[in-house]
């Protein structure tokens, strides 16, 4: 079964740091672009970051650029999101989502269950 | 960044209804548009990609159309399990952007 499982969420103080992790199973992880998407309470979806299959190409939303860092370890079948300089507006459910394999643009076809991050003093 | 605007933001419908949701991009995105369904407390699920291609396992009552800047999601003969929030998303260029969502509620 194709599956993504996120972990690492929790309560963090403003300015603090957290490392979110997503572990994949059921597919050839190293062939796929991976993404993080977040959703603030009661709000819509916001794309956060993407990393290509080999880790060469990385993209961030302007709202997180300079504060968040995406990385992947294909041997461990995992993609991480280090979130630092946390702000109240970063409070969200963070979803890991699979993109495409190969060259071209693809949507996100497999999603994890999400991990909740709350920024509060 | 490409702006994607969905309409309406919410509406009420009955089972058996035909439902149409629209999505407009502020610049051309060819057919690099996806539709997702999200139910409360759950992760989004991909319904349609490339504007009109149904994801595996999605019922055929769902359909998508459009290209360039204007897109439509149609649900024929709405079922009880279709009451949810729907999002469009462009993946033509980074930063990827979502519409604000359309909540389909039971009348």
């Amino acid at each position: 079964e194709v599956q993504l499982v996120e972990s690492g969420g929790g309560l963090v103080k403003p300015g603090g740091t957290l490392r979110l992790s997503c572990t994949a199973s059921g597919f050839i992880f190293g062939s796929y672009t991976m993404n993080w998407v977040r959703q603030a309470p009661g709000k819509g979806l916001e794309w956060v970051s993407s990393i290509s299959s080999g880790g060469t190409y990385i993209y961030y939303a302007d709202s997180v650029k300079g504060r968040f860092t995406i990385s992947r370890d294909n041997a461990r079948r995992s993609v991480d999101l280090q979130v630092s300089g946390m702000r109240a507006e970063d409070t969200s459910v963070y979803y890991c989502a699979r993109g495409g394999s190969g060259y071209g643009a693809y949507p996100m076809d497999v999603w994890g269950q999400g991990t909740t991050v709350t920024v509060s003093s | 960044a490409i702006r994607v605007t969905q309409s309406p933001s919410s509406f009420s419908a009955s089972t058996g209804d035909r439902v149409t949701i629209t999505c407009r991009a502020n610049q051309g995105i060819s057919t690099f548009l996806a539709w997702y369904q999200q139910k409360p407390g759950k992760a989004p699920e991909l319904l349609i990609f490339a504007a009109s291609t149904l994801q595996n396992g999605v019922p055929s009552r769902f359909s998508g159309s459009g290209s360039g800047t204007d897109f439509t999601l149609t649900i024929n003969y709405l079922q009880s399990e279709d009451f949810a929030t729907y999002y469009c998303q462009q993946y033509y260029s980074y930063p990827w952007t979502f519409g604000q969502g359309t909540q389909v509620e039971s009348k």
Side-chain angles (χ1 to χ4, degrees):
Chain A
E1 180 192 4
V2 174
Q3 196 173 15
L4 299 171
V5 178
E6 301 96 335
S7 60
L11 177 63
V12 60
K13 289 181 167 50
T17 297
L18 213 54
R19 191 174 189 89
L20 309 181
S21 189
C22 169
T23 301
S25 59
F27 64 97
I28 303 172
F29 179 77
S31 296
Y32 287 82
T33 292
M34 296 301 296
N35 311 279
W36 287 94
V37 175
R38 68 183 181 181
Q39 186 169 36
K43 302 297 185 184
L45 300 170
E46 180 188 16
W47 169 82
V48 172
S49 183
S50 297
I51 185 167
S52 61
S53 57
T56 302
Y57 301 101
I58 288 174
Y59 306 91
Y60 296 102
D62 286 346
S63 58
V64 308
K65 205 173 290 184
R67 300 187 300 121
F68 289 16
T69 303
I70 192 172
S71 61
R72 66 187 296 159
D73 184 334
N74 287 344
R76 290 194 306 117
R77 307 173 61 82
S78 68
V79 55
D80 290 352
L81 186 70
Q82 174 139 326
V83 297
S84 58
M86 297 291 281
R87 306 166 180 166
E89 55 265 34
D90 295 320
T91 294
S92 291
V93 175
Y94 285 75
Y95 294 103
C96 170
R98 188 179 79 169
S101 64
Y103 183 79
Y106 298 90
M108 294 172 280
D109 67 340
V110 178
W111 295 63
Q113 84 288 353
T115 188
T116 300
V117 173
T118 303
V119 183
S120 175
S121 54
Chain B
I2 297 174
R3 193 165 59 251
V4 176
T5 304
Q6 257 180 268
S7 61
S9 56
S10 67
F11 66 93
S12 299
S14 301
T15 55
D17 285 353
R18 184 171 187 258
V19 163
T20 299
I21 300 168
T22 63
C23 183
R24 175 166 287 176
N26 69 339
Q27 67 183 76
I29 58 171
S30 184
T31 57
F32 292 101
L33 186 104
W35 291 96
Y36 300 88
Q37 177 193 68
Q38 187 179 34
K39 296 181 178 177
K42 300 293 187 183
E45 293 185 1
L46 177 65
L47 294 176
I48 286 169
F49 61 97
S52 61
T53 302
L54 216 58
Q55 174 70 345
N56 288 343
V58 174
S60 58
R61 63 181 179 272
F62 290 90
S63 65
S65 64
S67 69
T69 60
D70 293 308
F71 303 86
T72 299
L73 172 69
T74 300
I75 312 172
N76 284 307
Y77 204 74
L78 192 73
Q79 299 294 291
S80 57
E81 60 266 32
D82 301 335
F83 293 107
T85 301
Y86 294 85
Y87 295 91
C88 59
Q89 179 236 334
Q90 68 82 17
Y91 52 100
Y92 176 80
S93 68
Y94 289 101
W96 289 352
T97 43
F98 287 89
Q100 74 273 31
T102 297
Q103 187 175 11
V104 179
E105 299 170 313
S106 177
K107 190 179 288 184

